[in-house]
Amino acid sequence: MTLTLPSANDATRRLTARHADHPLRGIALIVASTVFLACSDTMAKYLGRTLPPIEIGWIRFLVFLLIMLPVMLSSSASPLRSARPKLQVLRALALVASSVLFITGLQFLPIAEASATSFVAPLFVTALSIVLLGEAIGVRRWAATAVGLIGVLIVIRPGSAAFNAAVMFPILSALSWALTLILTRMISGADRAVVTMTFSAVVGFVALSAMVPFVWVTPSWHDILIGVLVGLASTMGQWIVVLAYRYADASVLAPFTYSQLVWVTFLGFGMFGEIPDLWTFVGAAVIIASGLYTAHRERLRRKQPPVPAEPSPNP
């Protein structure tokens, strides 16, 4: 799944502003990230033929943890020292749930359909912002959310012969990912990025290690290789996203994050012979249009001067 960065705090915005004058570089990086993420999802679907989703997720987080170890060990302060540890743990668990649910959905759905459905995450962010951040959502953003949900219904077509109940997996994955983004926003002003990444790697690995013995299937060397590639591609994709946001604003990059649907469509056809039908593309277009409008409204909202009496979502 594609990473969509939440609102940064003021210090981060000032730092980003120093670099955000190379939009073409940012666009190139964000497109490159979608290629890595599409490859990760495609290999995870392939691996799902022989291994259970929890085990695939466990391998992914194991690779993530191994990549993070040098960063953790070289950190001047303890990377597990958090000002909001409970939120960090909850965020990591939401990230694990999003990963495992999406991988589970890939076992039953064409990869393009699962990816298109998962694009509903920004709409869930809108709804969760009210509950968890106390944000006021205007009529236009609610209208965009409703349009996005219509797009999801076009893709999944409940009540028709094309409906597959497994579509709930990517939808729940998108909900978990939206919760991850909201929690990231809540802790962004309290903890360093390395702390958040460390909690993600450690808590995710520990949580999946507790579950994997119940579903364990001894992998072949081929499975292990593919699993490592899944973890590497996923971590690389997420890291490139972080780099991309140094060179361009979210409003500039948002349209290009959806290029992931192009790559998974080609990869799905090449590896699994999957050909999305017309309605999948129509629904995806509606969802993407809704997401872009939501990003546009968010950009306009951030440009408004802050109201002193309103409590900050980043205490």
Side-chain angles (χ1 to χ4, degrees):
M1 295 181 65
T2 301
L3 174 66
T4 305
L5 295 184
S7 299
N9 53 40
D10 291 338
T12 304
R13 288 197 190 104
R14 287 194 296 270
L15 178 62
T16 303
R18 300 175 189 171
H19 302 277
D21 56 353
H22 300 285
L24 292 180
R25 188 178 300 177
I27 290 170
L29 286 169
I30 206 72
V31 172
S33 76
T34 64
V35 175
F36 279 100
L37 293 169
C39 289
S40 175
D41 290 343
T42 304
M43 288 186 290
K45 180 177 177 64
Y46 176 82
L47 199 56
R49 295 176 171 183
T50 54
L51 297 181
I54 290 177
E55 189 169 346
I56 299 172
W58 178 79
I59 296 174
R60 174 183 283 183
F61 274 85
L62 172 60
V63 174
F64 182 23
L65 179 60
L66 292 175
I67 292 174
M68 282 299 300
L69 274 178
V71 180
M72 294 161 56
L73 295 175
S74 62
S75 179
S76 56
S78 172
L80 288 174
R81 184 178 299 169
S82 169
R84 312 191 75 173
K86 292 182 180 179
L87 288 184
Q88 287 283 12
V89 171
L90 183 58
R91 178 193 175 279
L93 293 176
L95 181 62
V96 169
S98 177
S99 178
V100 173
L101 286 167
F102 188 75
I103 293 172
T104 303
L106 289 176
Q107 291 188 336
F108 304 101
L109 298 168
I111 189 170
E113 181 178 339
S115 297
T117 307
S118 71
F119 286 152
V120 76
L123 312 183
F124 285 134
V125 170
T126 298
L128 290 176
S129 295
I130 300 174
V131 179
L132 298 179
L133 300 179
E135 291 186 358
I137 305 301
V139 175
R140 293 179 179 179
R141 287 179 67 188
W142 274 122
T145 300
V147 170
L149 294 177
I150 291 173
V152 173
L153 292 176
I154 293 174
V155 173
I156 66 178
R157 281 157 286 169
S160 71
F163 176 71
N164 188 336
V167 76
M168 291 305 300
F169 288 113
I171 290 177
L172 291 175
S173 172
L175 177 59
S176 297
W177 179 243
L179 178 60
T180 303
L181 295 179
I182 292 294
L183 291 171
T184 304
R185 186 182 301 182
M186 294 172 69
I187 62 181
S188 63
D191 287 337
R192 297 171 298 146
V194 66
V195 174
T196 299
M197 295 289 285
T198 299
F199 266 88
S200 298
V202 173
V203 174
F205 177 71
V206 171
L208 289 170
S209 294
M211 294 185 285
V212 77
F214 298 99
V215 297
W216 181 260
V217 174
T218 302
S220 65
W221 285 109
H222 178 262
D223 292 337
I224 293 174
L225 174 60
I226 298 297
V228 170
L229 291 176
V230 168
L232 288 174
S234 176
T235 304
M236 182 65 70
Q238 302 291 359
W239 179 249
I240 295 175
V241 169
V242 174
L243 295 178
Y245 277 77
R246 293 183 178 182
Y247 297 105
D249 294 332
S251 58
V252 174
L253 299 180
F256 298 93
T257 62
Y258 294 108
S259 63
Q260 185 172 342
L261 184 60
V262 176
W263 314 131
V264 296
T265 299
F266 280 113
L267 290 171
F269 174 74
M271 292 192 64
F272 311 110
E274 298 173 348
I275 303 177
D277 60 21
L278 175 63
W279 292 111
T280 297
F281 287 113
V282 172
V286 174
I287 296 170
I288 291 171
S290 171
L292 293 177
Y293 184 77
T294 299
H296 169 68
R297 295 301 304 176
E298 179 70 11
R299 179 177 62 84
L300 294 180
R301 186 185 67 83
R302 292 179 192 173
K303 285 185 175 182
Q304 296 176 353
V307 181
E310 185 179 351
S312 170
N314 297 317

